[in-house]
Every structure is written in C-alpha cells, then in structure tokens.
C-alpha cells in the first residue's frame, strides 16, 4: 500500500502520534532498523509482522494489567 492510501484511523482522536511512536519503540526493542523515509514497504513481511504482533501483545498486556488493578481496588 503506497503513501496516501492509508485507510486505518485511530479510534481516539490524536492517538496516531502515540501509535506511531510506539511502533518505532517496538521496532527498536526487536532490533529492527525502522526506515528513515517512513515507508515500511521495503522491510520484509516477517519484520513488519513482528513489529505489529509485538505491539498488539504489549497493548493486551497493558490492558490486562489495568483490568487486574481495577479488580484489586474494588475488593
């Protein structure tokens, strides 16, 4: 998918910047060199999938932690 064809939008207004930053942080943690030009099409599908998969894993872990903390506070 080329530049200008982005259809995915964040549900929370203004969250795009945070997700963008998060993507680069996860790539750095995995040792994947993010592209300088902001075009991820030159990376392998395996690398892009690893970044996306780890982003989702970290978001789920954060939500589960938040949910557990809420349940502990209610008890």
């Amino acid at each position: 998918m080329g530049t200008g064809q982005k259809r995915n939008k964040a549900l929370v207004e203004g969250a795009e910047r945070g997700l963008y930053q998060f993507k680069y942080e996860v790539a750095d943690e995995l040792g994947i060199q993010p592209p300088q030009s902001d075009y991820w099409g030159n990376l392998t599908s395996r690398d892009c999938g690893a970044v996306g998969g780890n982003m989702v894993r970290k978001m789920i872990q954060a939500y589960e932690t938040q949910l557990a903390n809420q349940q502990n506070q209610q008890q």
Side-chain angles (χ1 to χ4, degrees), residues 11-63:
L11 295 175
V12 177
E13 189 174 327
E16 289 90 2
R17 178 174 279 175
L19 289 170
Y20 180 83
Q21 173 89 20
F22 185 46
K23 176 170 52 173
Y24 278 83
E25 289 172 9
V26 170
D28 188 46
E29 287 176 10
L30 295 174
I32 297 170
Q33 181 66 31
Q36 298 294 326
S37 65
D38 252 1
Y39 176 67
W40 288 69
N42 293 332
L43 280 112
T44 65
S45 296
R46 182 183 190 108
D47 288 345
C48 288
V51 171
N54 279 287
M55 286 176 68
V56 171
R57 187 175 297 120
K58 286 177 176 268
M59 286 187 270
I60 290 171
Q61 182 181 21
Y63 181 76

